[in-house]
Amino acid sequence: MHFFTGIQETQDLCQKWRDKVESIAFVPTMGCLHEGHLSLVEKAKSLAQHVVVSIFVNPLQFDDVNDLAKYPHTLEDDRLKLEELGIDLLFAPDVDAFYPEGEHAVKQTDLGQITAILEGAQRPGHFAGVATVVERLFGLIQPNIAIFGEKDFQQLMVIQKLVKEFSLDIEIVGMPIFREEDGLAMSSRNLRLTEAEREKAAEIYQQLALLRKEILAGANNFAVLEQLAIENLIKAGFEPEYVVIRETSTLLPPVNHSDDKVILIAAKLGETRLIDNIRV
Ligand code: PAF
């Protein structure tokens, strides 16, 4: 496995593969790799000749400086895990190498409405930061395929919009959420939960499953269902930010009962903000 922190060496190696018409699958991450990430890497291995993983905690996508400061960094562990999986290249730049013009001087990518609702409304500027870093990574690596987890459901839609808007020839693959035994969606942020919080954290998944069951049984008063889950989460000790039932392809409120739906929750448990979703 190559381990690069520099832009030029990364660009050169990827260019060498492309010159030989060898395919590249790319998994962008912010590190602190768990089984969910590793499933993305396994998928990447099955889809292309070369696998590139990036680890970069992108300051542009954090709306809260404390959140950025507390983000876990586990590069040595991550490196070993990726080495074991046999990927071709781990790219882990530092902020100055990645944004040589200075992170505050970077012109950010704006993808419109999809970036303004839900996570975008709760975390202003978050998706502009995500789109900016992913656009730059795509430009550097120029993969054939890029793989993202569906836990960040809205992020996946933002990336699909990015690829469409800039006519990038990259196939975007979404992978199902990996869950702990009690249903908690795997996330690097779970490490921040105290023992007592960790015991409660799967309540988010239980509320998603409950709403899904109600909808499948014919319930269609979505506002009532959303409110019910909010109250249950508050009772369990969460501070819910949103519980919404949305149309899958737009993330807007469903118009027809037959629309494909996704239920999305964001809630704080103590100091930790958790998100999760389930399709109906
Ligand atoms: O999902 C993440 O880990 C990040 O948002 C991503 C896609 C690596 C961009 O920084």
Side-chain angles (χ1 to χ4, degrees), residues 251-277:
L251 291 190
L252 295 174
V255 182
N256 302 307
H257 195 58
S258 59
D259 287 342
D260 279 345
K261 291 177 251 333
V262 56
I263 311 166
L264 305 114
I265 294 184
K268 276 186 90 175
L269 186 54
E271 293 296 303
T272 311
R273 186 173 184 276
L274 300 171
I275 61 170
D276 199 352
N277 69 80

CSV table of all heavy atoms in Angstrom, one decimal, residues 251-277:
chain,number,residue,atom,x,y,z
A,251,LEU,N,-36.0,14.6,-1.0
A,251,LEU,CA,-36.0,14.9,0.4
A,251,LEU,C,-37.0,16.0,0.8
A,251,LEU,O,-36.9,16.7,1.9
A,251,LEU,CB,-34.6,15.3,0.9
A,251,LEU,CG,-33.6,14.2,0.9
A,251,LEU,CD1,-32.3,14.6,1.7
A,251,LEU,CD2,-34.2,12.9,1.6
A,252,LEU,N,-38.1,16.2,0.0
A,252,LEU,CA,-39.2,17.1,0.3
A,252,LEU,C,-40.3,16.3,0.9
A,252,LEU,O,-40.3,15.0,0.7
A,252,LEU,CB,-39.6,17.9,-1.0
A,252,LEU,CG,-38.5,18.8,-1.5
A,252,LEU,CD1,-38.9,19.4,-2.8
A,252,LEU,CD2,-38.1,19.9,-0.5
A,253,PRO,N,-41.3,16.9,1.5
A,253,PRO,CA,-42.4,16.1,2.0
A,253,PRO,C,-43.1,15.4,0.9
A,253,PRO,O,-43.3,15.9,-0.2
A,253,PRO,CB,-43.3,17.2,2.6
A,253,PRO,CG,-42.4,18.4,2.9
A,253,PRO,CD,-41.4,18.3,1.9
A,254,PRO,N,-43.5,14.1,1.2
A,254,PRO,CA,-44.1,13.3,0.1
A,254,PRO,C,-45.5,13.9,-0.3
A,254,PRO,O,-46.2,14.4,0.5
A,254,PRO,CB,-44.4,11.9,0.8
A,254,PRO,CG,-43.6,12.0,2.1
A,254,PRO,CD,-43.4,13.4,2.5
A,255,VAL,N,-45.7,13.8,-1.6
A,255,VAL,CA,-47.0,14.4,-2.1
A,255,VAL,C,-48.0,13.2,-2.3
A,255,VAL,O,-49.2,13.4,-1.9
A,255,VAL,CB,-46.8,15.0,-3.5
A,255,VAL,CG1,-48.0,15.7,-4.0
A,255,VAL,CG2,-45.7,16.1,-3.4
A,256,ASN,N,-47.6,12.1,-2.8
A,256,ASN,CA,-48.5,11.0,-2.9
A,256,ASN,C,-48.1,9.9,-1.9
A,256,ASN,O,-46.9,9.7,-1.6
A,256,ASN,CB,-48.3,10.4,-4.4
A,256,ASN,CG,-48.6,11.5,-5.4
A,256,ASN,OD1,-49.7,12.1,-5.3
A,256,ASN,ND2,-47.7,11.7,-6.3
A,257,HIS,N,-49.1,9.1,-1.5
A,257,HIS,CA,-48.9,8.1,-0.6
A,257,HIS,C,-48.0,7.0,-1.1
A,257,HIS,O,-47.2,6.3,-0.4
A,257,HIS,CB,-50.2,7.4,-0.1
A,257,HIS,CG,-50.1,6.6,1.1
A,257,HIS,ND1,-49.6,7.1,2.3
A,257,HIS,CD2,-50.3,5.3,1.4
A,257,HIS,CE1,-49.5,6.2,3.2
A,257,HIS,NE2,-50.0,5.1,2.7
A,258,SER,N,-48.0,6.9,-2.5
A,258,SER,CA,-47.2,5.8,-3.1
A,258,SER,C,-45.7,6.2,-3.3
A,258,SER,O,-44.9,5.4,-3.7
A,258,SER,CB,-47.8,5.5,-4.5
A,258,SER,OG,-47.8,6.6,-5.3
A,259,ASP,N,-45.4,7.5,-3.0
A,259,ASP,CA,-44.0,7.9,-3.2
A,259,ASP,C,-43.0,7.0,-2.4
A,259,ASP,O,-43.4,6.6,-1.3
A,259,ASP,CB,-43.8,9.3,-2.7
A,259,ASP,CG,-44.4,10.4,-3.7
A,259,ASP,OD1,-44.7,10.0,-4.8
A,259,ASP,OD2,-44.6,11.5,-3.2
A,260,ASP,N,-41.8,6.8,-2.9
A,260,ASP,CA,-40.8,6.1,-2.1
A,260,ASP,C,-40.4,7.1,-1.0
A,260,ASP,O,-40.2,8.3,-1.2
A,260,ASP,CB,-39.5,5.9,-2.9
A,260,ASP,CG,-39.7,4.6,-3.7
A,260,ASP,OD1,-40.6,3.9,-3.5
A,260,ASP,OD2,-38.9,4.5,-4.7
A,261,LYS,N,-40.3,6.5,0.2
A,261,LYS,CA,-40.0,7.4,1.4
A,261,LYS,C,-38.8,7.0,2.1
A,261,LYS,O,-38.4,5.9,2.1
A,261,LYS,CB,-41.2,7.4,2.3
A,261,LYS,CG,-42.5,8.1,1.7
A,261,LYS,CD,-43.6,8.0,2.6
A,261,LYS,CE,-44.7,7.1,2.2
A,261,LYS,NZ,-45.0,6.8,0.8
A,262,VAL,N,-38.2,8.0,2.8
A,262,VAL,CA,-37.1,7.8,3.7
A,262,VAL,C,-37.4,8.6,5.0
A,262,VAL,O,-38.0,9.7,4.9
A,262,VAL,CB,-35.8,8.2,3.1
A,262,VAL,CG1,-35.8,9.6,2.6
A,262,VAL,CG2,-34.6,8.0,4.0
A,263,ILE,N,-37.2,8.0,6.2
A,263,ILE,CA,-37.4,8.7,7.4
A,263,ILE,C,-36.0,9.1,7.9
A,263,ILE,O,-35.1,8.2,7.9
A,263,ILE,CB,-38.1,7.7,8.5
A,263,ILE,CG1,-39.3,7.1,7.8
A,263,ILE,CG2,-38.5,8.5,9.7
A,263,ILE,CD1,-39.8,5.9,8.6
A,264,LEU,N,-35.8,10.3,8.3
A,264,LEU,CA,-34.5,10.8,8.7
A,264,LEU,C,-34.6,11.4,10.1
A,264,LEU,O,-35.6,12.2,10.4
A,264,LEU,CB,-34.0,11.9,7.8
A,264,LEU,CG,-33.9,11.4,6.3
A,264,LEU,CD1,-34.8,12.2,5.5
A,264,LEU,CD2,-32.5,11.6,5.8
A,265,ILE,N,-33.6,11.1,11.0
A,265,ILE,CA,-33.6,11.7,12.3
A,265,ILE,C,-32.2,12.3,12.6
A,265,ILE,O,-31.2,11.7,12.2
A,265,ILE,CB,-33.9,10.6,13.4
A,265,ILE,CG1,-35.3,10.1,13.2
A,265,ILE,CG2,-33.6,11.2,14.8
A,265,ILE,CD1,-35.7,9.1,14.3
A,266,ALA,N,-32.2,13.5,13.2
A,266,ALA,CA,-31.0,14.0,13.8
A,266,ALA,C,-31.3,14.4,15.2
A,266,ALA,O,-32.4,15.0,15.5
A,266,ALA,CB,-30.5,15.3,13.0
A,267,ALA,N,-30.5,13.9,16.2
A,267,ALA,CA,-30.8,14.2,17.6
A,267,ALA,C,-29.5,14.3,18.3
A,267,ALA,O,-28.5,13.6,18.0
A,267,ALA,CB,-31.7,13.1,18.1
A,268,LYS,N,-29.5,15.1,19.4
A,268,LYS,CA,-28.3,15.2,20.2
A,268,LYS,C,-28.5,14.3,21.4
A,268,LYS,O,-29.6,14.3,22.0
A,268,LYS,CB,-28.0,16.6,20.7
A,268,LYS,CG,-27.2,17.4,19.6
A,268,LYS,CD,-26.8,18.7,20.1
A,268,LYS,CE,-25.5,18.7,20.8
A,268,LYS,NZ,-25.0,20.0,21.2
A,269,LEU,N,-27.5,13.6,21.8
A,269,LEU,CA,-27.5,12.8,23.1
A,269,LEU,C,-26.3,13.3,23.9
A,269,LEU,O,-25.1,13.1,23.5
A,269,LEU,CB,-27.4,11.3,22.7
A,269,LEU,CG,-27.5,10.4,23.9
A,269,LEU,CD1,-28.8,10.6,24.7
A,269,LEU,CD2,-27.5,8.9,23.4
A,270,GLY,N,-26.6,14.1,24.9
A,270,GLY,CA,-25.5,14.8,25.6
A,270,GLY,C,-24.8,15.7,24.6
A,270,GLY,O,-25.4,16.5,24.0
A,271,GLU,N,-23.5,15.5,24.5
A,271,GLU,CA,-22.7,16.4,23.6
A,271,GLU,C,-22.6,15.9,22.2
A,271,GLU,O,-22.0,16.5,21.3
A,271,GLU,CB,-21.2,16.5,24.2
A,271,GLU,CG,-21.1,17.2,25.5
A,271,GLU,CD,-21.6,18.7,25.4
A,271,GLU,OE1,-21.0,19.4,24.6
A,271,GLU,OE2,-22.5,19.1,26.1
A,272,THR,N,-23.2,14.7,21.9
A,272,THR,CA,-22.9,14.1,20.6
A,272,THR,C,-24.2,14.2,19.7
A,272,THR,O,-25.3,13.9,20.2
A,272,THR,CB,-22.6,12.6,20.9
A,272,THR,OG1,-21.5,12.5,21.8
A,272,THR,CG2,-22.1,11.9,19.6
A,273,ARG,N,-23.9,14.6,18.5
A,273,ARG,CA,-25.0,14.7,17.6
A,273,ARG,C,-25.0,13.5,16.7
A,273,ARG,O,-24.0,13.1,16.1
A,273,ARG,CB,-24.8,16.0,16.7
A,273,ARG,CG,-25.9,16.3,15.8
A,273,ARG,CD,-25.7,17.6,15.1
A,273,ARG,NE,-26.8,18.0,14.3
A,273,ARG,CZ,-27.0,17.5,13.0
A,273,ARG,NH1,-26.1,16.7,12.5
A,273,ARG,NH2,-28.1,17.9,12.4
A,274,LEU,N,-26.2,12.8,16.6
A,274,LEU,CA,-26.3,11.5,15.9
A,274,LEU,C,-27.3,11.7,14.7
A,274,LEU,O,-28.3,12.4,14.9
A,274,LEU,CB,-26.8,10.4,16.8
A,274,LEU,CG,-25.9,10.1,18.0
A,274,LEU,CD1,-26.5,9.1,18.9
A,274,LEU,CD2,-24.5,9.5,17.5
A,275,ILE,N,-27.0,11.1,13.6
A,275,ILE,CA,-28.0,11.1,12.5
A,275,ILE,C,-28.2,9.6,12.1
A,275,ILE,O,-27.3,8.8,12.2
A,275,ILE,CB,-27.6,12.0,11.3
A,275,ILE,CG1,-26.3,11.5,10.6
A,275,ILE,CG2,-27.6,13.4,11.7
A,275,ILE,CD1,-26.1,12.2,9.3
A,276,ASP,N,-29.4,9.4,11.5
A,276,ASP,CA,-29.7,8.0,11.1
A,276,ASP,C,-30.9,8.1,10.1
A,276,ASP,O,-31.6,9.2,10.1
A,276,ASP,CB,-30.0,7.1,12.2
A,276,ASP,CG,-29.9,5.6,11.9
A,276,ASP,OD1,-29.7,5.3,10.7
A,276,ASP,OD2,-30.0,4.8,12.8
A,277,ASN,N,-31.1,7.1,9.3
A,277,ASN,CA,-32.3,7.1,8.4
A,277,ASN,C,-32.7,5.7,8.1
A,277,ASN,O,-31.9,4.7,8.3
A,277,ASN,CB,-32.0,7.9,7.2
A,277,ASN,CG,-30.9,7.2,6.3
A,277,ASN,OD1,-31.2,6.3,5.6
A,277,ASN,ND2,-29.7,7.6,6.4
